[in-house]
Amino acid sequence: MRLDLPTSLSLSTKLSSIKPLTTAAIAIVALGGMTSANAKTLFKDTSITLLHGGDFKLLPDDVDTLSTMTLEHASTHTWGGVFFFVDRHQGGKYDVKNNDGEVVDTKRYKETFGKFSPKFKIATFNDSFIKQVNLAGVYEFSSNSTGFGQDNYWAGVGVDLDLPIPGMKYASATLYHSFNDQKPDDEKVTLTAAWERDNFLIDGYVDFGFNSDELKNNIHFNPQIKYNLQEALGIDNRLEAGVEYSYWRNKFGVDGVDENAVMALAKYHF
């Protein structure tokens, strides 16, 4: 459902904010091309996930359950790393109404949502709680069957952490400024972590949005709890089954809109 949220910046101000990001992105790509001969991939993983569940907020009336297919990739390199995913959501049917509230059509809800998030290493430390300092960026995009669409840009700095917890695979913390398309700009703190032991895996993130002139502070906690069936099934690649949980207080910064949604999932790694 489209949220008609007021924007805090004029179009010209928005463009002046985004142009430096575009210039930086072009420079980074050019630099990456010049140094590709010396780059080395340290880790990479690509997966596809199927999910189904409900009780999502801020969808059209009569739609709260979604089926989702997610394509996801993560890789780390000597220069930094890349994470991206694309969600394709499909929900139930809803009534399309005109300005007078009359039903003029019925549609099935569909949405595409994705993020592309590179990070670029600027410092590393040995035997330290902070393993690496990164410059980080995010391109976030979405569109749905109601006609709503957006392109958001995040820029920030973050750290990869070395947490002394058995089974901890990775952890990070990043502070971003968000240049938002359909809502006022804000700041975000993103925490990510993954832990695995005895084929049980818990991974996910927490986003905390704050410092907006018009939107409420909001927090989105989105973990996945999974069991790796690869060994039990005797197959070559990881196949995980479990659940994803979405807790979102003041979803999208809308006061009082709180989400508690659970989805069953199956995730296959290529």
Side-chain angles (χ1 to χ4, degrees):
M1 182 177 72
R2 179 165 183 161
L3 300 178
D4 294 321
L5 299 174
T7 56
S8 61
L9 295 178
S10 67
L11 179 60
S12 61
T13 305
K14 284 281 191 180
L15 292 175
S16 67
S17 298
I18 292 173
K19 284 179 180 178
L21 295 179
T22 305
T23 303
I26 294 171
I28 288 167
V29 170
L31 179 61
M34 291 186 294
T35 61
S36 60
N38 298 320
K40 181 179 179 182
T41 299
L42 306 176
F43 165 84
K44 64 178 179 179
D45 178 73
T46 302
S47 64
I48 189 166
T49 306
L50 302 177
L51 307 100
H52 181 77
D55 208 18
F56 294 95
K57 305 300 183 184
L58 296 180
L59 296 177
D61 293 342
D62 301 323
V63 178
D64 69 351
T65 299
L66 296 175
S67 296
T68 300
M69 178 181 290
T70 300
L71 176 65
E72 182 178 308
H73 172 83
S75 59
T76 57
H77 309 268
T78 50
W79 52 264
V82 173
F83 172 75
F84 75 79
F85 72 88
V86 178
D87 288 336
R88 180 60 173 175
H89 303 295
Q90 182 166 302
K93 293 183 178 180
Y94 64 97
D95 292 333
V96 180
K97 300 179 181 179
N98 60 21
N99 292 334
D100 296 325
E102 300 172 331
V103 176
V104 296
D105 197 2
T106 300
K107 287 186 177 181
R108 182 173 296 279
Y109 183 77
K110 297 178 181 180
E111 179 181 356
T112 300
F113 175 80
K115 286 185 181 182
F116 174 73
S117 179
K119 64 179 183 181
F120 304 93
K121 178 174 62 178
I122 57 176
T124 57
F125 304 93
N126 296 321
D127 302 320
S128 172
F129 174 70
I130 295 176
K131 295 194 301 184
Q132 185 170 299
V133 179
N134 308 295
L135 293 178
V138 176
Y139 168 52
E140 179 182 68
F141 58 93
S142 69
S143 62
N144 65 41
S145 55
T146 70
F148 175 79
Q150 63 178 342
D151 294 276
N152 302 322
Y153 301 86
W154 309 5
V157 62
V159 293
D160 295 341
L161 303 174
D162 185 9
L163 300 183
I165 300 173
M168 185 63 64
K169 296 169 66 71
Y170 66 81
S172 70
T174 308
L175 173 64
Y176 293 101
H177 179 82
S178 299
F179 302 89
N180 296 318
D181 189 9
Q182 297 289 338
K183 58 184 180 180
D185 295 349
D186 61 355
E187 269 68 56
K188 295 182 185 292
V189 172
T190 297
L191 309 176
T192 68
W195 172 92
E196 184 173 17
R197 174 168 284 190
D198 298 329
N199 290 319
F200 282 99
L201 173 65
I202 302 173
D203 61 1
Y205 66 88
V206 178
D207 274 342
F208 175 58
F210 64 100
N211 200 28
S212 170
D213 291 337
E214 300 174 39
L215 303 179
K216 296 290 290 185
N217 292 351
N218 61 93
I219 185 166
H220 188 198
F221 175 51
N222 194 200
Q224 292 184 347
I225 303 171
K226 297 164 289 189
Y227 184 79
N228 180 17
L229 298 169
Q230 178 182 358
E231 183 179 345
L233 297 177
I235 56 179
D236 292 335
N237 295 341
R238 292 178 68 101
L239 175 61
E240 299 160 354
V243 296
E244 178 177 292
Y245 173 60
S246 174
Y247 170 76
W248 204 333
R249 180 172 176 80
N250 297 329
K251 186 174 183 177
F252 297 131
V254 180
D255 190 12
V257 176
D258 298 337
E259 178 175 276
N260 284 279
V262 178
M263 304 185 81
L265 73 84
K267 186 171 188 176
Y268 181 76
H269 298 256
F270 297 99

